[in-house]
Amino acid sequence: ARLRSILPSACVSIRRRCMHHVACCDVPLSTSVFSCGNSNDGQTGQGDTDTLKRFTKIDAFKGGNITRVYAGEQFTLFTTSQHKLFGCGSNQFGQLTNRTPSQLNPKPCLWDDTISSSLKHISCGKTHALALCDDGKVYGWGGGLHGQVGAGEATTYRRPTHVSLPGPATYISSGSLHSLCIVNGQLYSWGNSHFNQLGHGGLDNELAPRLVEDDILRG
């Protein structure tokens, strides 16, 4: 109720991550995007690194048609009705891919469009992101030192990289340093397992998707 009293119209998408929020709202003839909170890395998309105490419109999208927003810890991604992908904030680990001008991008910039035309959903972690495409393929990029990208190596990926799975995925989810997806009704996980968050019964990190073999999950 409080958000609706601050923002000008019906919200179609709201994302929060740690200390910043981004809201996508319907307004006449277009969709406007608003942000607030911490912006040390420019993740609010306002063109600077100042903290925002109130929701403020992102002028870079004036007249545009943003359909979804996705918030990582230090970066934010936006999709448009024209299947374009934009990003702002930290690019230290390639979260915004290698086409962006610098490691810090306080203004939204056009993202690598290799997979944008077929995007179905995006999920952002602390320094990495996953993309689920219409055909069920999953791609990962960004910080992968814990294996959270899922492409088989503990390294940084500055371009979308295919994540090998046994079949089309229907759901993806990014934790801070780990990732999950559902394939054929089964749960797979990878990345950091310091707190047993992968569900494999151990503390070893997984560099690629591994089936969660649990009788409870299988019903």
Side-chain angles (χ1 to χ4, degrees), residues 15 17 20-23 33 35 38 41-45 58 61 68-78 85-90 95-96 105 108-109 111 124:
R15 292 292 183 268
R17 191 74 185 196
H20 80 288
H21 286 72
V22 185
V33 184
S35 62
N38 176 53
D41 294 282
Q43 59 265 50
T44 61
I58 300 178
F61 294 127
R68 288 289 184 272
V69 293
Y70 305 93
E73 183 167 315
Q74 299 167 315
F75 67 104
T76 307
L77 301 176
F78 312 82
L85 187 58
F86 290 82
C88 64
S90 174
Q95 301 99 306
L96 309 182
N105 296 271
C109 51
W111 195 83
C124 298

PDB file of all heavy atoms in Angstrom, residues 15 17 20-23 33 35 38 41-45 58 61 68-78 85-90 95-96 105 108-109 111 124:
ATOM      1  N   ARG A  15      11.463  -5.211  -8.184  1.00  0.00           N
ATOM      2  CA  ARG A  15      12.569  -6.071  -7.790  1.00  0.00           C
ATOM      3  C   ARG A  15      13.390  -5.378  -6.717  1.00  0.00           C
ATOM      4  O   ARG A  15      13.616  -4.167  -6.779  1.00  0.00           O
ATOM      5  CB  ARG A  15      13.476  -6.375  -8.990  1.00  0.00           C
ATOM      6  CG  ARG A  15      12.807  -7.252 -10.038  1.00  0.00           C
ATOM      7  CD  ARG A  15      12.568  -8.673  -9.518  1.00  0.00           C
ATOM      8  NE  ARG A  15      11.986  -9.522 -10.542  1.00  0.00           N
ATOM      9  CZ  ARG A  15      10.694  -9.706 -10.739  1.00  0.00           C
ATOM     10  NH1 ARG A  15       9.830  -9.066  -9.963  1.00  0.00           N
ATOM     11  NH2 ARG A  15      10.256 -10.503 -11.694  1.00  0.00           N
ATOM     12  N   ARG A  17      16.947  -5.904  -4.126  1.00  0.00           N
ATOM     13  CA  ARG A  17      18.143  -6.686  -3.850  1.00  0.00           C
ATOM     14  C   ARG A  17      18.951  -5.947  -2.806  1.00  0.00           C
ATOM     15  O   ARG A  17      19.453  -4.856  -3.055  1.00  0.00           O
ATOM     16  CB  ARG A  17      18.979  -6.868  -5.109  1.00  0.00           C
ATOM     17  CG  ARG A  17      20.104  -7.895  -4.946  1.00  0.00           C
ATOM     18  CD  ARG A  17      19.542  -9.313  -4.941  1.00  0.00           C
ATOM     19  NE  ARG A  17      20.572 -10.301  -4.683  1.00  0.00           N
ATOM     20  CZ  ARG A  17      20.412 -11.603  -4.918  1.00  0.00           C
ATOM     21  NH1 ARG A  17      19.271 -12.044  -5.411  1.00  0.00           N
ATOM     22  NH2 ARG A  17      21.367 -12.450  -4.649  1.00  0.00           N
ATOM     23  N   HIS A  20      18.731  -1.809  -2.662  1.00  0.00           N
ATOM     24  CA  HIS A  20      18.083  -0.952  -3.644  1.00  0.00           C
ATOM     25  C   HIS A  20      16.871  -1.644  -4.234  1.00  0.00           C
ATOM     26  O   HIS A  20      16.771  -2.861  -4.236  1.00  0.00           O
ATOM     27  CB  HIS A  20      19.062  -0.509  -4.741  1.00  0.00           C
ATOM     28  CG  HIS A  20      19.322  -1.521  -5.819  1.00  0.00           C
ATOM     29  ND1 HIS A  20      20.065  -2.660  -5.611  1.00  0.00           N
ATOM     30  CD2 HIS A  20      18.944  -1.555  -7.129  1.00  0.00           C
ATOM     31  CE1 HIS A  20      20.145  -3.353  -6.739  1.00  0.00           C
ATOM     32  NE2 HIS A  20      19.469  -2.703  -7.682  1.00  0.00           N
ATOM     33  N   HIS A  21      15.923  -0.825  -4.691  1.00  0.00           N
ATOM     34  CA  HIS A  21      14.683  -1.313  -5.295  1.00  0.00           C
ATOM     35  C   HIS A  21      14.526  -0.671  -6.675  1.00  0.00           C
ATOM     36  O   HIS A  21      14.919   0.470  -6.891  1.00  0.00           O
ATOM     37  CB  HIS A  21      13.446  -0.927  -4.461  1.00  0.00           C
ATOM     38  CG  HIS A  21      13.304  -1.722  -3.200  1.00  0.00           C
ATOM     39  ND1 HIS A  21      14.134  -1.548  -2.121  1.00  0.00           N
ATOM     40  CD2 HIS A  21      12.414  -2.688  -2.845  1.00  0.00           C
ATOM     41  CE1 HIS A  21      13.753  -2.375  -1.153  1.00  0.00           C
ATOM     42  NE2 HIS A  21      12.720  -3.072  -1.559  1.00  0.00           N
ATOM     43  N   VAL A  22      13.904  -1.412  -7.584  1.00  0.00           N
ATOM     44  CA  VAL A  22      13.554  -0.877  -8.893  1.00  0.00           C
ATOM     45  C   VAL A  22      12.114  -1.278  -9.181  1.00  0.00           C
ATOM     46  O   VAL A  22      11.733  -2.432  -8.985  1.00  0.00           O
ATOM     47  CB  VAL A  22      14.475  -1.406 -10.011  1.00  0.00           C
ATOM     48  CG1 VAL A  22      14.139  -0.724 -11.330  1.00  0.00           C
ATOM     49  CG2 VAL A  22      15.940  -1.173  -9.663  1.00  0.00           C
ATOM     50  N   ALA A  23      11.301  -0.318  -9.634  1.00  0.00           N
ATOM     51  CA  ALA A  23       9.892  -0.581  -9.908  1.00  0.00           C
ATOM     52  C   ALA A  23       9.563  -0.200 -11.337  1.00  0.00           C
ATOM     53  O   ALA A  23       9.989   0.839 -11.838  1.00  0.00           O
ATOM     54  CB  ALA A  23       9.003   0.213  -8.948  1.00  0.00           C
ATOM     55  N   VAL A  33      10.126   3.613 -15.276  1.00  0.00           N
ATOM     56  CA  VAL A  33      10.883   2.858 -14.289  1.00  0.00           C
ATOM     57  C   VAL A  33      11.371   3.806 -13.205  1.00  0.00           C
ATOM     58  O   VAL A  33      11.880   4.898 -13.504  1.00  0.00           O
ATOM     59  CB  VAL A  33      12.084   2.144 -14.940  1.00  0.00           C
ATOM     60  CG1 VAL A  33      12.797   1.271 -13.913  1.00  0.00           C
ATOM     61  CG2 VAL A  33      11.629   1.299 -16.115  1.00  0.00           C
ATOM     62  N   SER A  35      13.448   4.061  -9.247  1.00  0.00           N
ATOM     63  CA  SER A  35      14.402   3.365  -8.374  1.00  0.00           C
ATOM     64  C   SER A  35      14.649   4.163  -7.115  1.00  0.00           C
ATOM     65  O   SER A  35      14.411   5.378  -7.060  1.00  0.00           O
ATOM     66  CB  SER A  35      15.729   3.128  -9.111  1.00  0.00           C
ATOM     67  OG  SER A  35      16.337   4.354  -9.473  1.00  0.00           O
ATOM     68  N   ASN A  38      20.418   2.409  -2.190  1.00  0.00           N
ATOM     69  CA  ASN A  38      21.860   2.520  -2.362  1.00  0.00           C
ATOM     70  C   ASN A  38      22.245   2.477  -3.836  1.00  0.00           C
ATOM     71  O   ASN A  38      21.714   1.680  -4.613  1.00  0.00           O
ATOM     72  CB  ASN A  38      22.553   1.370  -1.628  1.00  0.00           C
ATOM     73  CG  ASN A  38      24.049   1.369  -1.847  1.00  0.00           C
ATOM     74  OD1 ASN A  38      24.718   2.371  -1.634  1.00  0.00           O
ATOM     75  ND2 ASN A  38      24.573   0.238  -2.285  1.00  0.00           N
ATOM     76  N   ASP A  41      27.337   1.751  -6.816  1.00  0.00           N
ATOM     77  CA  ASP A  41      27.866   1.295  -8.099  1.00  0.00           C
ATOM     78  C   ASP A  41      26.994   1.750  -9.272  1.00  0.00           C
ATOM     79  O   ASP A  41      27.150   1.260 -10.383  1.00  0.00           O
ATOM     80  CB  ASP A  41      27.972  -0.230  -8.100  1.00  0.00           C
ATOM     81  CG  ASP A  41      29.006  -0.728  -7.116  1.00  0.00           C
ATOM     82  OD1 ASP A  41      30.201  -0.647  -7.438  1.00  0.00           O
ATOM     83  OD2 ASP A  41      28.623  -1.183  -6.025  1.00  0.00           O
ATOM     84  N   GLY A  42      26.083   2.665  -9.023  1.00  0.00           N
ATOM     85  CA  GLY A  42      25.221   3.165 -10.080  1.00  0.00           C
ATOM     86  C   GLY A  42      24.066   2.249 -10.405  1.00  0.00           C
ATOM     87  O   GLY A  42      23.426   2.378 -11.451  1.00  0.00           O
ATOM     88  N   GLN A  43      23.734   1.316  -9.502  1.00  0.00           N
ATOM     89  CA  GLN A  43      22.717   0.308  -9.798  1.00  0.00           C
ATOM     90  C   GLN A  43      21.297   0.851  -9.842  1.00  0.00           C
ATOM     91  O   GLN A  43      20.385   0.167 -10.306  1.00  0.00           O
ATOM     92  CB  GLN A  43      22.795  -0.853  -8.799  1.00  0.00           C
ATOM     93  CG  GLN A  43      22.604  -0.486  -7.337  1.00  0.00           C
ATOM     94  CD  GLN A  43      23.917  -0.255  -6.619  1.00  0.00           C
ATOM     95  OE1 GLN A  43      24.769   0.485  -7.087  1.00  0.00           O
ATOM     96  NE2 GLN A  43      24.077  -0.891  -5.461  1.00  0.00           N
ATOM     97  N   THR A  44      21.080   2.105  -9.397  1.00  0.00           N
ATOM     98  CA  THR A  44      19.742   2.677  -9.510  1.00  0.00           C
ATOM     99  C   THR A  44      19.491   3.283 -10.894  1.00  0.00           C
ATOM    100  O   THR A  44      18.361   3.653 -11.203  1.00  0.00           O
ATOM    101  CB  THR A  44      19.503   3.759  -8.446  1.00  0.00           C
ATOM    102  OG1 THR A  44      20.462   4.817  -8.628  1.00  0.00           O
ATOM    103  CG2 THR A  44      19.612   3.184  -7.040  1.00  0.00           C
ATOM    104  N   GLY A  45      20.540   3.409 -11.713  1.00  0.00           N
ATOM    105  CA  GLY A  45      20.364   3.871 -13.081  1.00  0.00           C
ATOM    106  C   GLY A  45      20.100   5.353 -13.250  1.00  0.00           C
ATOM    107  O   GLY A  45      19.632   5.786 -14.306  1.00  0.00           O
ATOM    108  N   ILE A  58      13.738   6.931 -13.714  1.00  0.00           N
ATOM    109  CA  ILE A  58      14.980   6.793 -14.467  1.00  0.00           C
ATOM    110  C   ILE A  58      14.774   7.455 -15.819  1.00  0.00           C
ATOM    111  O   ILE A  58      14.087   6.923 -16.697  1.00  0.00           O
ATOM    112  CB  ILE A  58      15.374   5.318 -14.630  1.00  0.00           C
ATOM    113  CG1 ILE A  58      15.570   4.673 -13.245  1.00  0.00           C
ATOM    114  CG2 ILE A  58      16.651   5.182 -15.465  1.00  0.00           C
ATOM    115  CD1 ILE A  58      15.915   3.191 -13.315  1.00  0.00           C
ATOM    116  N   PHE A  61      15.024   6.018 -19.592  1.00  0.00           N
ATOM    117  CA  PHE A  61      13.967   5.235 -20.226  1.00  0.00           C
ATOM    118  C   PHE A  61      12.735   6.071 -20.560  1.00  0.00           C
ATOM    119  O   PHE A  61      11.663   5.538 -20.805  1.00  0.00           O
ATOM    120  CB  PHE A  61      13.566   4.062 -19.336  1.00  0.00           C
ATOM    121  CG  PHE A  61      14.655   3.050 -19.158  1.00  0.00           C
ATOM    122  CD1 PHE A  61      15.055   2.665 -17.890  1.00  0.00           C
ATOM    123  CD2 PHE A  61      15.287   2.489 -20.256  1.00  0.00           C
ATOM    124  CE1 PHE A  61      16.055   1.723 -17.720  1.00  0.00           C
ATOM    125  CE2 PHE A  61      16.293   1.555 -20.090  1.00  0.00           C
ATOM    126  CZ  PHE A  61      16.679   1.172 -18.827  1.00  0.00           C
ATOM    127  N   ARG A  68      10.191  -5.550 -17.902  1.00  0.00           N
ATOM    128  CA  ARG A  68      10.627  -6.223 -16.680  1.00  0.00           C
ATOM    129  C   ARG A  68      11.916  -5.612 -16.160  1.00  0.00           C
ATOM    130  O   ARG A  68      12.733  -5.104 -16.932  1.00  0.00           O
ATOM    131  CB  ARG A  68      10.851  -7.721 -16.925  1.00  0.00           C
ATOM    132  CG  ARG A  68       9.586  -8.532 -17.126  1.00  0.00           C
ATOM    133  CD  ARG A  68       8.801  -8.676 -15.828  1.00  0.00           C
ATOM    134  NE  ARG A  68       7.637  -9.519 -15.988  1.00  0.00           N
ATOM    135  CZ  ARG A  68       6.439  -9.100 -16.365  1.00  0.00           C
ATOM    136  NH1 ARG A  68       6.263  -7.819 -16.662  1.00  0.00           N
ATOM    137  NH2 ARG A  68       5.420  -9.939 -16.477  1.00  0.00           N
ATOM    138  N   VAL A  69      12.087  -5.670 -14.846  1.00  0.00           N
ATOM    139  CA  VAL A  69      13.331  -5.253 -14.222  1.00  0.00           C
ATOM    140  C   VAL A  69      13.858  -6.404 -13.367  1.00  0.00           C
ATOM    141  O   VAL A  69      13.081  -7.188 -12.806  1.00  0.00           O
ATOM    142  CB  VAL A  69      13.141  -3.992 -13.351  1.00  0.00           C
ATOM    143  CG1 VAL A  69      12.795  -2.805 -14.218  1.00  0.00           C
ATOM    144  CG2 VAL A  69      12.085  -4.221 -12.281  1.00  0.00           C
ATOM    145  N   TYR A  70      15.182  -6.514 -13.293  1.00  0.00           N
ATOM    146  CA  TYR A  70      15.823  -7.593 -12.536  1.00  0.00           C
ATOM    147  C   TYR A  70      16.991  -7.001 -11.755  1.00  0.00           C
ATOM    148  O   TYR A  70      17.897  -6.403 -12.347  1.00  0.00           O
ATOM    149  CB  TYR A  70      16.332  -8.685 -13.475  1.00  0.00           C
ATOM    150  CG  TYR A  70      15.278  -9.250 -14.397  1.00  0.00           C
ATOM    151  CD1 TYR A  70      15.092  -8.719 -15.667  1.00  0.00           C
ATOM    152  CD2 TYR A  70      14.465 -10.311 -13.994  1.00  0.00           C
ATOM    153  CE1 TYR A  70      14.121  -9.229 -16.522  1.00  0.00           C
ATOM    154  CE2 TYR A  70      13.488 -10.816 -14.847  1.00  0.00           C
ATOM    155  CZ  TYR A  70      13.329 -10.274 -16.108  1.00  0.00           C
ATOM    156  OH  TYR A  70      12.371 -10.786 -16.948  1.00  0.00           O
ATOM    157  N   ALA A  71      16.986  -7.146 -10.440  1.00  0.00           N
ATOM    158  CA  ALA A  71      17.988  -6.509  -9.600  1.00  0.00           C
ATOM    159  C   ALA A  71      18.994  -7.509  -9.051  1.00  0.00           C
ATOM    160  O   ALA A  71      18.625  -8.476  -8.378  1.00  0.00           O
ATOM    161  CB  ALA A  71      17.308  -5.765  -8.447  1.00  0.00           C
ATOM    162  N   GLY A  72      20.271  -7.276  -9.335  1.00  0.00           N
ATOM    163  CA  GLY A  72      21.351  -7.980  -8.664  1.00  0.00           C
ATOM    164  C   GLY A  72      21.784  -7.156  -7.467  1.00  0.00           C
ATOM    165  O   GLY A  72      21.171  -6.116  -7.162  1.00  0.00           O
ATOM    166  N   GLU A  73      22.846  -7.558  -6.794  1.00  0.00           N
ATOM    167  CA  GLU A  73      23.256  -6.810  -5.605  1.00  0.00           C
ATOM    168  C   GLU A  73      23.840  -5.454  -5.975  1.00  0.00           C
ATOM    169  O   GLU A  73      23.576  -4.450  -5.318  1.00  0.00           O
ATOM    170  CB  GLU A  73      24.277  -7.599  -4.787  1.00  0.00           C
ATOM    171  CG  GLU A  73      24.671  -6.897  -3.502  1.00  0.00           C
ATOM    172  CD  GLU A  73      25.420  -7.793  -2.540  1.00  0.00           C
ATOM    173  OE1 GLU A  73      24.983  -8.940  -2.338  1.00  0.00           O
ATOM    174  OE2 GLU A  73      26.431  -7.363  -1.997  1.00  0.00           O
ATOM    175  N   GLN A  74      24.645  -5.406  -7.036  1.00  0.00           N
ATOM    176  CA  GLN A  74      25.295  -4.163  -7.432  1.00  0.00           C
ATOM    177  C   GLN A  74      25.005  -3.803  -8.887  1.00  0.00           C
ATOM    178  O   GLN A  74      25.685  -2.968  -9.467  1.00  0.00           O
ATOM    179  CB  GLN A  74      26.805  -4.286  -7.215  1.00  0.00           C
ATOM    180  CG  GLN A  74      27.183  -4.536  -5.765  1.00  0.00           C
ATOM    181  CD  GLN A  74      28.639  -4.957  -5.628  1.00  0.00           C
ATOM    182  OE1 GLN A  74      29.133  -5.785  -6.371  1.00  0.00           O
ATOM    183  NE2 GLN A  74      29.320  -4.354  -4.672  1.00  0.00           N
ATOM    184  N   PHE A  75      24.008  -4.425  -9.481  1.00  0.00           N
ATOM    185  CA  PHE A  75      23.674  -4.140 -10.872  1.00  0.00           C
ATOM    186  C   PHE A  75      22.191  -4.404 -11.102  1.00  0.00           C
ATOM    187  O   PHE A  75      21.534  -5.085 -10.312  1.00  0.00           O
ATOM    188  CB  PHE A  75      24.523  -4.995 -11.821  1.00  0.00           C
ATOM    189  CG  PHE A  75      24.224  -6.480 -11.763  1.00  0.00           C
ATOM    190  CD1 PHE A  75      23.487  -7.092 -12.766  1.00  0.00           C
ATOM    191  CD2 PHE A  75      24.681  -7.259 -10.716  1.00  0.00           C
ATOM    192  CE1 PHE A  75      23.213  -8.460 -12.722  1.00  0.00           C
ATOM    193  CE2 PHE A  75      24.416  -8.618 -10.663  1.00  0.00           C
ATOM    194  CZ  PHE A  75      23.678  -9.221 -11.675  1.00  0.00           C
ATOM    195  N   THR A  76      21.668  -3.855 -12.186  1.00  0.00           N
ATOM    196  CA  THR A  76      20.257  -4.002 -12.525  1.00  0.00           C
ATOM    197  C   THR A  76      20.128  -4.223 -14.026  1.00  0.00           C
ATOM    198  O   THR A  76      20.832  -3.595 -14.819  1.00  0.00           O
ATOM    199  CB  THR A  76      19.455  -2.749 -12.124  1.00  0.00           C
ATOM    200  OG1 THR A  76      19.704  -2.452 -10.739  1.00  0.00           O
ATOM    201  CG2 THR A  76      17.970  -2.974 -12.311  1.00  0.00           C
ATOM    202  N   LEU A  77      19.223  -5.111 -14.425  1.00  0.00           N
ATOM    203  CA  LEU A  77      18.962  -5.379 -15.831  1.00  0.00           C
ATOM    204  C   LEU A  77      17.507  -5.042 -16.154  1.00  0.00           C
ATOM    205  O   LEU A  77      16.627  -5.184 -15.307  1.00  0.00           O
ATOM    206  CB  LEU A  77      19.245  -6.855 -16.158  1.00  0.00           C
ATOM    207  CG  LEU A  77      20.674  -7.350 -15.897  1.00  0.00           C
ATOM    208  CD1 LEU A  77      20.764  -8.848 -16.177  1.00  0.00           C
ATOM    209  CD2 LEU A  77      21.678  -6.588 -16.739  1.00  0.00           C
ATOM    210  N   PHE A  78      17.265  -4.615 -17.403  1.00  0.00           N
ATOM    211  CA  PHE A  78      15.939  -4.207 -17.849  1.00  0.00           C
ATOM    212  C   PHE A  78      15.662  -4.820 -19.224  1.00  0.00           C
ATOM    213  O   PHE A  78      16.542  -4.825 -20.089  1.00  0.00           O
ATOM    214  CB  PHE A  78      15.844  -2.683 -17.991  1.00  0.00           C
ATOM    215  CG  PHE A  78      16.368  -1.900 -16.821  1.00  0.00           C
ATOM    216  CD1 PHE A  78      17.731  -1.647 -16.692  1.00  0.00           C
ATOM    217  CD2 PHE A  78      15.505  -1.393 -15.860  1.00  0.00           C
ATOM    218  CE1 PHE A  78      18.231  -0.905 -15.623  1.00  0.00           C
ATOM    219  CE2 PHE A  78      15.990  -0.651 -14.790  1.00  0.00           C
ATOM    220  CZ  PHE A  78      17.353  -0.409 -14.672  1.00  0.00           C
ATOM    221  N   LEU A  85      17.812  -5.513 -24.193  1.00  0.00           N
ATOM    222  CA  LEU A  85      18.242  -5.704 -22.811  1.00  0.00           C
ATOM    223  C   LEU A  85      19.216  -4.599 -22.440  1.00  0.00           C
ATOM    224  O   LEU A  85      20.188  -4.349 -23.160  1.00  0.00           O
ATOM    225  CB  LEU A  85      18.895  -7.075 -22.664  1.00  0.00           C
ATOM    226  CG  LEU A  85      19.269  -7.555 -21.269  1.00  0.00           C
ATOM    227  CD1 LEU A  85      18.048  -7.595 -20.348  1.00  0.00           C
ATOM    228  CD2 LEU A  85      19.894  -8.943 -21.348  1.00  0.00           C
ATOM    229  N   PHE A  86      18.933  -3.921 -21.324  1.00  0.00           N
ATOM    230  CA  PHE A  86      19.783  -2.842 -20.833  1.00  0.00           C
ATOM    231  C   PHE A  86      20.288  -3.193 -19.438  1.00  0.00           C
ATOM    232  O   PHE A  86      19.668  -3.987 -18.710  1.00  0.00           O
ATOM    233  CB  PHE A  86      19.007  -1.529 -20.768  1.00  0.00           C
ATOM    234  CG  PHE A  86      18.668  -0.939 -22.116  1.00  0.00           C
ATOM    235  CD1 PHE A  86      17.561  -1.388 -22.827  1.00  0.00           C
ATOM    236  CD2 PHE A  86      19.445   0.072 -22.661  1.00  0.00           C
ATOM    237  CE1 PHE A  86      17.241  -0.854 -24.063  1.00  0.00           C
ATOM    238  CE2 PHE A  86      19.133   0.612 -23.895  1.00  0.00           C
ATOM    239  CZ  PHE A  86      18.040   0.149 -24.603  1.00  0.00           C
ATOM    240  N   GLY A  87      21.389  -2.580 -19.044  1.00  0.00           N
ATOM    241  CA  GLY A  87      21.923  -2.825 -17.715  1.00  0.00           C
ATOM    242  C   GLY A  87      22.619  -1.604 -17.164  1.00  0.00           C
ATOM    243  O   GLY A  87      23.079  -0.731 -17.914  1.00  0.00           O
ATOM    244  N   CYS A  88      22.692  -1.514 -15.838  1.00  0.00           N
ATOM    245  CA  CYS A  88      23.419  -0.430 -15.191  1.00  0.00           C
ATOM    246  C   CYS A  88      24.029  -0.954 -13.895  1.00  0.00           C
ATOM    247  O   CYS A  88      23.644  -2.009 -13.388  1.00  0.00           O
ATOM    248  CB  CYS A  88      22.515   0.768 -14.917  1.00  0.00           C
ATOM    249  SG  CYS A  88      21.165   0.436 -13.754  1.00  0.00           S
ATOM    250  N   GLY A  89      24.990  -0.192 -13.371  1.00  0.00           N
ATOM    251  CA  GLY A  89      25.647  -0.587 -12.132  1.00  0.00           C
ATOM    252  C   GLY A  89      27.034  -1.147 -12.359  1.00  0.00           C
ATOM    253  O   GLY A  89      27.734  -0.783 -13.310  1.00  0.00           O
ATOM    254  N   SER A  90      27.421  -2.070 -11.514  1.00  0.00           N
ATOM    255  CA  SER A  90      28.768  -2.637 -11.570  1.00  0.00           C
ATOM    256  C   SER A  90      28.919  -3.622 -12.728  1.00  0.00           C
ATOM    257  O   SER A  90      28.053  -4.459 -12.964  1.00  0.00           O
ATOM    258  CB  SER A  90      29.096  -3.350 -10.260  1.00  0.00           C
ATOM    259  OG  SER A  90      30.339  -4.030 -10.358  1.00  0.00           O
ATOM    260  N   GLN A  95      28.923  -8.504 -15.286  1.00  0.00           N
ATOM    261  CA  GLN A  95      27.468  -8.608 -15.126  1.00  0.00           C
ATOM    262  C   GLN A  95      26.715  -7.933 -16.267  1.00  0.00           C
ATOM    263  O   GLN A  95      25.611  -8.332 -16.619  1.00  0.00           O
ATOM    264  CB  GLN A  95      27.027  -7.949 -13.804  1.00  0.00           C
ATOM    265  CG  GLN A  95      27.643  -8.532 -12.557  1.00  0.00           C
ATOM    266  CD  GLN A  95      28.807  -7.688 -12.081  1.00  0.00           C
ATOM    267  OE1 GLN A  95      29.724  -7.422 -12.843  1.00  0.00           O
ATOM    268  NE2 GLN A  95      28.784  -7.280 -10.821  1.00  0.00           N
ATOM    269  N   LEU A  96      27.326  -6.887 -16.830  1.00  0.00           N
ATOM    270  CA  LEU A  96      26.700  -6.153 -17.924  1.00  0.00           C
ATOM    271  C   LEU A  96      27.327  -6.521 -19.259  1.00  0.00           C
ATOM    272  O   LEU A  96      27.044  -5.875 -20.269  1.00  0.00           O
ATOM    273  CB  LEU A  96      26.838  -4.638 -17.694  1.00  0.00           C
ATOM    274  CG  LEU A  96      26.388  -4.120 -16.326  1.00  0.00           C
ATOM    275  CD1 LEU A  96      26.542  -2.614 -16.264  1.00  0.00           C
ATOM    276  CD2 LEU A  96      24.947  -4.524 -16.041  1.00  0.00           C
ATOM    277  N   ASN A 105      28.773   1.664 -14.519  1.00  0.00           N
ATOM    278  CA  ASN A 105      27.867   2.251 -15.506  1.00  0.00           C
ATOM    279  C   ASN A 105      26.615   2.767 -14.810  1.00  0.00           C
ATOM    280  O   ASN A 105      25.618   2.048 -14.697  1.00  0.00           O
ATOM    281  CB  ASN A 105      27.506   1.211 -16.564  1.00  0.00           C
ATOM    282  CG  ASN A 105      28.704   0.755 -17.362  1.00  0.00           C
ATOM    283  OD1 ASN A 105      29.048   1.341 -18.374  1.00  0.00           O
ATOM    284  ND2 ASN A 105      29.374  -0.298 -16.899  1.00  0.00           N
ATOM    285  N   PRO A 108      21.843   3.353 -17.646  1.00  0.00           N
ATOM    286  CA  PRO A 108      21.547   2.109 -18.374  1.00  0.00           C
ATOM    287  C   PRO A 108      22.137   2.142 -19.780  1.00  0.00           C
ATOM    288  O   PRO A 108      22.022   3.131 -20.497  1.00  0.00           O
ATOM    289  CB  PRO A 108      20.013   2.088 -18.416  1.00  0.00           C
ATOM    290  CG  PRO A 108      19.600   2.907 -17.237  1.00  0.00           C
ATOM    291  CD  PRO A 108      20.624   3.999 -17.127  1.00  0.00           C
ATOM    292  N   CYS A 109      22.806   1.059 -20.155  1.00  0.00           N
ATOM    293  CA  CYS A 109      23.399   0.961 -21.476  1.00  0.00           C
ATOM    294  C   CYS A 109      22.907  -0.323 -22.145  1.00  0.00           C
ATOM    295  O   CYS A 109      22.505  -1.271 -21.473  1.00  0.00           O
ATOM    296  CB  CYS A 109      24.926   0.970 -21.395  1.00  0.00           C
ATOM    297  SG  CYS A 109      25.613  -0.219 -20.249  1.00  0.00           S
ATOM    298  N   TRP A 111      22.749  -3.749 -23.613  1.00  0.00           N
ATOM    299  CA  TRP A 111      23.445  -4.966 -23.214  1.00  0.00           C
ATOM    300  C   TRP A 111      23.754  -5.808 -24.442  1.00  0.00           C
ATOM    301  O   TRP A 111      23.186  -5.625 -25.510  1.00  0.00           O
ATOM    302  CB  TRP A 111      22.525  -5.709 -22.263  1.00  0.00           C
ATOM    303  CG  TRP A 111      23.086  -6.801 -21.431  1.00  0.00           C
ATOM    304  CD1 TRP A 111      23.749  -6.660 -20.237  1.00  0.00           C
ATOM    305  CD2 TRP A 111      22.975  -8.197 -21.657  1.00  0.00           C
ATOM    306  NE1 TRP A 111      24.052  -7.886 -19.726  1.00  0.00           N
ATOM    307  CE2 TRP A 111      23.595  -8.855 -20.592  1.00  0.00           C
ATOM    308  CE3 TRP A 111      22.412  -8.958 -22.679  1.00  0.00           C
ATOM    309  CZ2 TRP A 111      23.668 -10.236 -20.500  1.00  0.00           C
ATOM    310  CZ3 TRP A 111      22.483 -10.328 -22.601  1.00  0.00           C
ATOM    311  CH2 TRP A 111      23.121 -10.961 -21.517  1.00  0.00           C
ATOM    312  N   CYS A 124      18.984 -12.685 -11.094  1.00  0.00           N
ATOM    313  CA  CYS A 124      20.283 -12.089 -10.751  1.00  0.00           C
ATOM    314  C   CYS A 124      20.730 -12.487  -9.352  1.00  0.00           C
ATOM    315  O   CYS A 124      19.941 -12.490  -8.404  1.00  0.00           O
ATOM    316  CB  CYS A 124      20.197 -10.566 -10.825  1.00  0.00           C
ATOM    317  SG  CYS A 124      19.805  -9.905 -12.447  1.00  0.00           S
TER     318      CYS A 124
END
